[in-house]
Amino acid sequence: MQHYELRAESRAAIIAMLGAAQTGKARPFLVQDETGDTQVDASRIRYPYEEMTEDEEPAPTGFWLCEIWLEEPDAELAAMAL
C-alpha cells in the first residue's frame, strides 16, 4: 500500500492539488456530491483536515493535511507529498 501526505495553506489548495494529480487517471480522487460540492474519494483519502500543533493544548498551525492510500505508486502525488 502506498501512502502520501499532502500539506497546503488551505483546504482549497489541497483540493486543487488532488485535482491536478487526478488528471488522466481512470479513478478520480475528487467527486461531486448531490449538491455540487467537491468531495474526496473517502475509500482512499482521509478528508483534508487542519494541522494542529503537538503542544499540551493543540492549536491550528495554519496549514491543512490530507492523507492518501493507493495500491499502486503515483508519481504526481509523490512529487507533491511531504
Side-chain angles (χ1 to χ4, degrees):
M1 192 58 95
Q2 305 295 313
H3 177 255
Y4 304 97
E5 189 172 7
L6 304 181
R7 183 176 189 246
E9 66 280 353
S10 67
R11 179 189 179 278
I14 293 273
I15 295 299
M17 292 168 77
L18 290 169
Q22 77 180 2
T23 302
K25 298 207 172 51
R27 186 174 173 194
F29 299 129
L30 304 173
V31 295
Q32 300 293 317
D33 67 15
E34 60 278 351
T35 66
D37 290 335
T38 300
Q39 303 295 326
V40 299
D41 177 354
S43 67
R44 302 179 296 159
I45 300 171
R46 180 177 177 195
Y47 196 81
Y49 58 97
E50 282 189 278
E51 180 181 61
M52 303 296 279
T53 62
E54 295 183 14
D55 300 332
E56 189 172 309
E57 293 186 32
T61 66
F63 288 93
W64 284 67
L65 300 172
C66 181
E67 296 179 57
I68 302 107
W69 291 270
L70 303 174
E71 291 185 24
E72 300 293 326
D74 186 288
E76 289 86 4
L77 288 175
M80 295 178 192
L82 294 175

